[in-house]
Amino acid sequence: MKIRNVENKAFLWTFVMRLFAHNILKDSQHFLPKANYDERHGKFPRYFSGWYMFVNSKGLAEGEVIHKKLNGIDLVVHRNKEGLPVIHSDRCTHMDGMFSGGLGTVVDGQIVCGYHKYKFENGVPQSGPKDFKNDVKNCIPCFKVKETHGLVMFWFDAESENGIGEPQWELDLPDVSDLPRLAFARSITPTHMAPLHENIVDDQHFVLLHEADRYKSTPEPYFEKHRFKTANTMRIKLPHKIGPFQFNKNPDLDMVMDTEFFGLGIHINTVNIRGFKATVIHTTTPIEDEVTEWSLNVYMPKRKWFAKLDIVWFMNNIVYPWGMIAQTYRLHTQDRRAFFEKGKYDFYEDSPKGFEKVNMFRRWVQEELLGEKRPMRKNSVPTTYVSEADIERNSSKKTETVA
Ligand code: FES
Ligand SMILES: [Fe+2]
C-alpha cells in the first residue's frame, strides 16, 4: 500500500485502529486523539449554532443509553416510550448522578439515574419524593431533536450556556427516497470542523491529493444564510479496460460532486458519475476543542449484481460505499492532522492566490454564520448570498419589464 501525505506508517496504523474502535464503540470518549486548541486556532470560535448529528438511527436501540461529549457538553441519548430520541445532559438533577458509563438504564422509555435510581420521562422526573418530583427546577432541559434520513440530529445553540435553544433554521435534508441503501462510518479527527471543510472545498486538493486531471468548481447563489453551495466536477483518467470493464474508449471520467453546507455541522455531496447517483451526508460534530466526530452517511441505489458490467455497476457494487469512505478518510483526516499539528489556522487572513474558494468559504463562515464583517482584500471573493429583498427586487424588475 502506498502511503502518502502522512507523517509515518505508525500514524496510519493508529488511524486504522481508531477508525475500527470508533465504529465499534459508540461512546466518543474512547481513544480520543489529542488536540491543543489554544496553540492552533487562536480566537476562532470552537462551537457554532446549528444542527448536529448525535448518532445514526440504527445505532440507537430501544432501551439503550448512549453517552457522548459533543460541543463540549456531556450528553446522553435514549428512546422514549414513543421510540423518539431524547437528548439531554448526562447529569441527573437530583444529586448530579450520571446516566452514562453503564450506570443509567432505560425502563419503559424512562431513563433511570445510576445513583438513586430516580426515573425521568422526556426530562421530567417520575420518581423520588413529592417535593422533588413536583418542582419544575428538577426537570432536565432537553434538546430539540429531529430524526430523519436515518440520523438522530439535534439543534445546538452556541449562545446558550447549556447548548439548548430554538432552531434558527429548518433541518431540510435532500430527498433520498430513490437511494434506499445506506452505509454509515464515523471517524474522530483532531481538527476543528471549519478547516476540515475548507480542505474539502479547496479546489487545488482535488488535483494534488485526489490526483484528478482537471477540476472545475462554480460557486452557486444561496438564498439562506446558513447554506453555502458550489457545483463541482472532477475529471480522472481511467485505463481503457479493467478486467471485464470497457470504458467506451473514453478514458475521461467526470465525477459530479456538488456541495452544499447547512451550517458547519452538515455537508451534503450530490454525486453523479455517468449516471451512477449517490448522496453523501457528511456530519461533523465537535467533541471539544478541535476534536471533531466526522460521520459519512452514504445513500445509494439498490445493488444489482446481475446487470450490465459498466461504470454504474462498478461504482455501485465495488467503489461505493467502502472504497469511497476509505478514500475520503484516508486523504482528509490524516492530511489535516499532519498539517495542523505544526501549522496555524489563519482563519481571519485571506488565503493565497489560487485558493479563492477557501477565501469564499471563510467569508461565508465569518459574515453569514458569525455575523461579523470581513474586509475585502486583494484575493477576496464575495460570497454568492442573495437576500430575500434582492430576489423580490429582481422579480419586480422582471415584472416591470414584462409590463
Ligand atoms: S443523583 Fe440521580 S437519582 Fe440521585
Ligand atoms: Fe477530497
Side-chain angles (χ1 to χ4, degrees), residues 3-18:
I3 301 171
R4 295 179 308 121
N5 311 312
V6 290
E7 285 168 298
N8 50 47
K9 287 187 188 180
F11 171 70
L12 176 72
W13 289 113
T14 355
F15 167 73
V16 171
M17 305 263 291
R18 256 194 212 136

Side-chain angles (χ1 to χ4, degrees), residues 68-131:
K68 282 185 185 189
K69 183 176 241 184
L70 295 176
N71 288 305
I73 315 168
D74 278 293
L75 301 171
V76 281
V77 65
H78 72 281
R79 292 194 183 275
N80 67 11
K81 273 192 186 126
E82 288 76 41
L84 301 171
V86 178
I87 299 178
H88 56 54
S89 159
D90 182 26
R91 292 307 178 121
C92 168
T93 44
H94 178 225
M95 282 170 73
D96 246 7
M98 290 191 309
F99 298 108
S100 66
L103 302 168
T105 49
V106 179
V107 178
D108 287 339
Q110 300 182 346
I111 194 164
V112 186
C113 171
Y115 205 178
H116 308 105
K117 309 289 177 200
Y118 286 12
K119 292 178 186 157
F120 296 83
E121 185 167 338
N122 298 319
V124 181
Q126 304 294 314
S127 55
K130 256 201 186 130
D131 61 338

Side-chain angles (χ1 to χ4, degrees), residues 57-341:
S57 298
K58 269 197 185 162
L60 179 64
E62 296 213 349
E64 191 175 19
V65 181
I66 298 179
H67 159 248
K68 282 185 185 189
K69 183 176 241 184
L70 295 176
N71 288 305
I73 315 168
D74 278 293
L75 301 171
V76 281
V77 65
H78 72 281
R79 292 194 183 275
N80 67 11
K81 273 192 186 126
E82 288 76 41
L84 301 171
V86 178
I87 299 178
H88 56 54
S89 159
D90 182 26
R91 292 307 178 121
C92 168
T93 44
H94 178 225
M95 282 170 73
D96 246 7
M98 290 191 309
F99 298 108
S100 66
L103 302 168
T105 49
V106 179
V107 178
D108 287 339
Q110 300 182 346
I111 194 164
V112 186
C113 171
Y115 205 178
H116 308 105
K117 309 289 177 200
Y118 286 12
K119 292 178 186 157
F120 296 83
E121 185 167 338
N122 298 319
V124 181
Q126 304 294 314
S127 55
K130 256 201 186 130
D131 61 338
F132 176 83
K133 262 200 315 191
N134 297 340
D135 190 343
V136 284
K137 279 211 305 289
N138 296 320
C139 289
I140 312 171
C142 295
F143 283 79
K144 285 273 181 312
V145 175
K146 195 167 170 195
E147 187 169 18
T148 178
H149 292 63
L151 311 171
V152 175
M153 308 288 300
F154 67 103
W155 175 266
F156 170 76
D157 185 334
E159 307 298 320
S160 100
E161 210 177 300
N162 60 7
I164 299 175
E166 272 308 307
Q168 288 161 30
W169 66 79
E170 279 290 316
L171 179 68
D172 47 353
L173 299 177
D175 180 20
V176 287
S177 50
D178 56 338
L179 304 169
R181 192 157 60 98
L182 169 62
F184 168 85
R186 78 175 184 134
S187 163
I188 293 175
T189 174
T191 309
H192 189 286
M193 50 191 175
L196 192 72
H197 293 323
E198 250 181 38
N199 184 229
I200 285 172
V201 298
D202 162 14
D203 289 343
Q204 310 262 344
H205 100 275
F206 285 94
V207 176
L208 300 170
L209 288 187
H210 293 261
E211 297 180 339
D213 276 345
R214 229 188 61 182
Y215 178 76
K216 194 172 177 288
S217 171
T218 320
E220 303 242 292
Y222 53 95
F223 309 103
E224 286 160 297
K225 288 197 169 195
H226 62 274
R227 293 180 191 236
F228 176 82
K229 267 174 105 165
T230 56
N232 319 312
T233 306
M234 171 165 88
R235 175 168 291 177
I236 57 165
K237 277 254 182 298
L238 284 177
H240 285 301
K241 204 172 176 243
I242 306 177
F245 299 101
Q246 284 282 359
F247 296 110
N248 306 325
K249 297 201 179 98
N250 178 8
D252 288 335
L253 185 69
D254 281 342
M255 305 166 97
V256 174
M257 297 179 304
D258 294 347
T259 269
E260 187 165 12
F261 287 90
F262 291 5
L264 286 182
I266 303 168
H267 165 206
I268 294 160
N269 256 183
T270 320
V271 179
N272 188 343
I273 305 165
R274 287 203 197 155
F276 165 72
K277 290 191 179 153
T279 295
V280 185
I281 302 183
H282 300 239
T283 58
T284 45
T285 313
I287 293 173
E288 59 179 340
D289 287 352
E290 57 179 36
V291 181
T292 304
E293 186 167 308
W294 178 13
S295 296
L296 289 177
N297 307 281
V298 191
Y299 303 80
M300 297 155 288
K302 278 212 176 89
R303 275 206 172 101
K304 278 192 203 140
W305 289 109
F306 304 104
K308 198 171 136 211
L309 299 187
D310 57 5
I311 203 79
V312 174
W313 188 97
F314 185 68
M315 284 294 157
N316 200 23
N317 294 292
I318 310 290
V319 180
Y320 275 70
W322 306 115
M324 174 269 172
I325 288 171
Q327 163 87 343
T328 307
Y329 281 155
R330 187 178 78 91
L331 291 184
H332 290 279
T333 56
Q334 297 176 48
D335 196 57
R336 297 319 282 173
R337 175 191 171 273
F339 189 76
F340 280 109
E341 190 84 347

